[in-house]
Amino acid sequence: MVRSKILNIGEMVPAFEEEMLLVLFGPTATNELKQICVIHEFAETPDNLLKNGGKMKIGDIEYTITHVGDAANKNFEELGHISIYFRTGENEVLPGAIIVEPEVFPTFQEGEVINFY
């Protein structure tokens, strides 16, 4: 299991709920990115963590990863960056994104931990 603590929630993050999209980024995010991202910091470094069938827990909801973009693991490991879509059937998965089920946008707050396993 890899844990990551939410450090900051950008002021524009709630606007993405309608799109069912959550953008995570590590502490090195630029000020522009910080406005649209949830800034988080890993407790331990991930290694090829994101895979189909893998799990992620935010708040009280456990999600199952159903699709992983080609660059998702590399971006996540190097930058802490990943786009998480809580919806299916829209388009093909973008290289730096994952798609998860159920199609429920999570609730979260600063200081909470996101678990990946």
Side-chain angles (χ1 to χ4, degrees), residues 25-100:
F25 216 106
T28 61
T30 63
N31 286 335
E32 294 80 19
L33 285 171
K34 287 180 180 178
Q35 293 177 30
I36 64 166
C37 295
V38 170
I39 305 302
H40 70 106
E41 187 168 43
F42 292 118
E44 52 277 318
T45 306
D47 181 24
N48 202 31
L49 179 65
L50 307 170
K51 50 182 105 358
N52 290 347
K55 304 288 185 184
M56 171 184 78
K57 188 170 184 183
I58 301 177
D60 293 332
I61 303 174
E62 181 183 74
Y63 297 91
T64 300
I65 299 169
T66 59
H67 294 88
V68 179
D70 294 342
N73 275 299
K74 182 177 187 291
N75 290 348
F76 205 42
E77 291 165 16
E78 293 177 3
L79 303 170
H81 170 59
I82 191 160
S83 298
I84 304 169
Y85 288 91
F86 300 88
R87 59 184 162 89
T88 58
E90 295 292 323
N91 299 329
E92 63 184 78
V93 64
L94 297 171
I98 64 171
I99 298 174
V100 300

Side-chain angles (χ1 to χ4, degrees), residues 3-8 39-43 111-114:
R3 294 167 299 154
S4 192
K5 184 177 183 179
I6 296 174
L7 303 177
N8 183 270
I39 305 302
H40 70 106
E41 187 168 43
F42 292 118
E112 281 189 327
V113 172
I114 302 171

